[in-house]
Amino acid sequence: MSAPDQPSPSTPSGSLLPGQRVLLGISAGIAAYKSAFLARLLVQAGCEVQVVMTEGAQAFITPLTLQALTGRAVRTSLLDPTAELGMGHIELARWADRILIAPATADLMARLAQGQADDLLTTLCLASDAEKLMAPAMNQAMWRHPATQRNAEQLRQDGWTLLGPAAGDQACGDVGPGRMLEPDDIAALMLDTGTITAADLFASERHIVITAGPTREPLDPVRYLSNHSSGKMGFALAEAARASGAQVTLITGPVDRPTPAGVTRIDVETAEQMLEVAQDIATDCDIFIGCAAVADYRAATTAEHKIKKVDGEQELTLKLVKNPDIIATISAMSDGPMVVGFAAETRDVEAYARSKLERKNLDMIVANDVSQQQLGFGSDNNAAILLWRDGNDIERQQEPTQAKSQLAHAIIARALHCLAQNQNTSSTAP
């Protein structure tokens, strides 16, 4: 069905209103079956829904199904002789108030990020000034691949809003980020229902600050105190937080790691420098995650010149003083952010983590056993216990051994859900 001759003015961004015109794009992913439910929900909300399918999408769900649900003939071809008698693809681009692509595959994201217009759906996206949203859906490894993350960042810069993806079981048998948000969650975001669902994982207006890596506490011009932290976990958290759509600031100690796409990076050396930066930024963030392995002590005085060995003396005495407690300082701020801490322990891991959660008044803590050589510092894998406050109770979630990048998505998802719960509780309090 061709678009109306005279398109209506674009509706301002925000929640959907009855009568809004939604162009629902469906690309070639197994999640395409969910798009039928999504189309139905939007129609029930009073929207006019025009479905556009890629060629591959038709292998997963038939156009006839979508036509029956929307009452409009599905558009599938850029070179449809009937529709193009009046430049139908341009009229359709003008017709839409919003363009929503669900599912959006890695291939489609790559083509849109490069500005390609090689089928009807990508052509419409380039030709339309409508608000544009997409719900990514793909294998977890494909979603985490640097190329996909670069494309996602480019799409955000081009004005696209990314809804999700969520994490969980996938059709291929993998577990991790890449699942398309459920239709009711996407509809809730678009309709602005105010309910807390899996859509709370969408964090486009959140600012997350993360500390990472070790600190170096100088003894003299050539020596320092430090630890074995590689920064891998903190950088994985920054990448996962950015993938959720959040604005991310990464405060990192000295590590040789590339900055994740779209993340603002601030490099520091010492614990005092990290605290100064953290205090400045924490006043303007929603979640503060203290993942850095901050040195507990520093030299009382730093020698001006290299400390020399003294002949005949077998010992060297250093006077150390305690470093500031960054995570406790941030959690003590009035009207401060939600604070997530880490507890890297070698024994009694959960007991120490619970004590730290209470003692430092944290909202959530991630506990891991760094005594295991295949986990923790320097490793690509990690396992953790997530503990968080739920009213007067402390809830618990066990995360088995997995890639740090995968664990990072689970941590970010839990933190965002806790934030949404806390805000919902605050808004409904008498």
Side-chain angles (χ1 to χ4, degrees):
M1 181 181 295
S2 60
D5 292 336
Q6 297 297 325
S8 63
S10 178
T11 305
S13 61
S15 59
L16 282 174
L17 302 174
Q20 268 201 10
R21 294 167 171 172
V22 179
L23 194 156
L24 176 59
I26 304 176
S27 61
I30 186 63
Y33 77 92
K34 296 182 180 181
S35 303
F37 297 97
L38 177 57
R40 184 61 175 165
L41 289 171
L42 296 176
V43 169
Q44 288 177 336
C47 303
E48 295 182 50
V49 179
Q50 172 65 62
V51 174
V52 175
M53 300 177 70
T54 66
E55 181 179 356
Q58 298 169 64
F60 294 93
I61 186 171
T62 67
L64 186 59
T65 300
L66 280 305
Q67 177 179 317
L69 292 170
T70 63
R72 302 175 69 91
V74 175
R75 295 287 298 275
T76 60
S77 175
L78 177 61
L79 303 177
D80 184 334
T82 303
E84 291 306 308
L85 284 173
M87 294 296 287
H89 69 280
I90 298 297
E91 290 301 319
L92 187 54
R94 293 172 179 166
W95 171 85
D97 294 317
R98 277 181 170 181
I99 294 177
L100 167 64
I101 302 178
T105 62
D107 173 73
L108 183 67
M109 291 177 64
R111 288 190 286 132
L112 287 172
Q114 295 300 316
Q116 292 187 26
D118 52 2
D119 63 7
L120 179 59
L121 183 55
T122 53
T123 300
L124 290 172
C125 292
L126 283 186
S128 177
D129 292 327
E131 183 181 5
K132 299 179 179 69
L133 309 94
M134 67 170 60
M138 65 199 72
N139 169 266
Q140 53 84 24
M142 294 173 68
W143 170 251
R144 294 202 309 260
H145 194 282
T148 304
Q149 290 303 304
R150 286 195 301 271
N151 292 335
E153 182 59 31
Q154 183 61 56
L155 289 167
R156 291 187 186 100
Q157 292 178 12
D158 291 345
W160 284 87
T161 297
L162 273 61
L163 309 181
D169 295 333
Q170 300 186 321
C172 61
D174 284 0
V175 178
R179 284 175 57 93
M180 182 175 123
L181 290 183
E182 295 303 315
D184 56 345
D185 297 326
I186 296 174
L189 281 171
M190 296 187 70
L191 299 169
D192 193 18
T193 63
T195 58
I196 295 179
T197 68
D200 295 321
L201 306 187
F202 171 54
S204 64
E205 298 189 8
R206 305 298 190 195
H207 181 196
I208 300 177
V209 174
I210 300 167
T211 65
T215 62
R216 287 180 180 172
E217 311 301 329
L219 299 174
D220 61 24
V222 297
R223 301 184 181 93
Y224 55 82
L225 296 173
S226 190
N227 55 61
H228 295 294
S229 175
S230 64
K232 287 182 180 179
M233 191 70 241
F235 276 65
L237 285 166
E239 184 176 345
R242 188 68 191 104
S244 77
Q247 174 190 349
V248 182
T249 301
L250 178 64
I251 309 170
T252 180
V255 294
D256 184 19
R257 303 194 65 80
T259 306
V263 170
T264 299
R265 174 174 176 168
I266 301 174
D267 289 281
V268 297
E269 288 274 336
T270 69
E272 290 183 311
Q273 292 170 354
M274 185 172 283
L275 174 63
E276 182 180 359
V277 174
Q279 284 180 302
D280 287 342
I281 300 177
T283 57
D284 186 33
C285 76
D286 300 284
I287 300 175
F288 182 92
I289 303 178
C291 186
V294 180
D296 292 325
Y297 293 90
R298 69 182 187 277
T301 59
T302 302
E304 183 178 356
H305 301 286
K306 179 181 176 182
I307 300 172
K308 295 291 186 179
K309 291 186 293 184
V310 178
D311 291 341
E313 292 193 6
Q314 302 299 315
E315 297 180 352
L316 173 67
T317 300
L318 297 174
K319 183 178 180 181
L320 304 179
V321 296
K322 205 168 187 178
N323 261 330
D325 191 325
I326 297 174
I327 199 79
T329 302
I330 301 302
S331 67
M333 294 172 56
S334 58
D335 298 323
M338 173 183 165
V339 179
V340 180
F342 271 69
E345 305 291 347
T346 58
R347 59 187 176 91
D348 298 330
V349 175
E350 185 168 348
Y352 281 123
R354 286 179 178 270
S355 174
K356 187 174 182 179
L357 180 75
E358 296 285 358
R359 188 174 69 255
K360 299 189 178 183
N361 194 32
L362 307 179
D363 298 286
M364 175 176 160
I365 195 164
V366 181
N368 61 306
D369 186 347
V370 294
S371 67
Q372 302 182 52
Q373 292 185 352
Q374 72 275 22
L375 301 177
F377 291 148
S379 171
D380 291 329
N381 298 320
N382 210 343
I385 301 170
L386 311 186
L387 303 171
W388 67 92
R389 298 180 186 274
D390 185 2
N392 294 324
D393 299 324
I394 295 178
E395 299 294 334
R396 180 185 189 277
Q397 177 178 323
Q398 181 78 48
E399 287 292 334
T401 300
Q402 57 195 288
K404 286 183 175 179
S405 55
Q406 185 172 333
L407 177 61
H409 282 274
I411 294 170
I412 293 297
R414 174 52 58 189
L416 287 168
H417 192 72
C418 288
L419 178 66
Q421 285 183 316
N422 294 341
Q423 292 181 337
N424 186 61
T425 301
S426 299
S427 64
T428 56

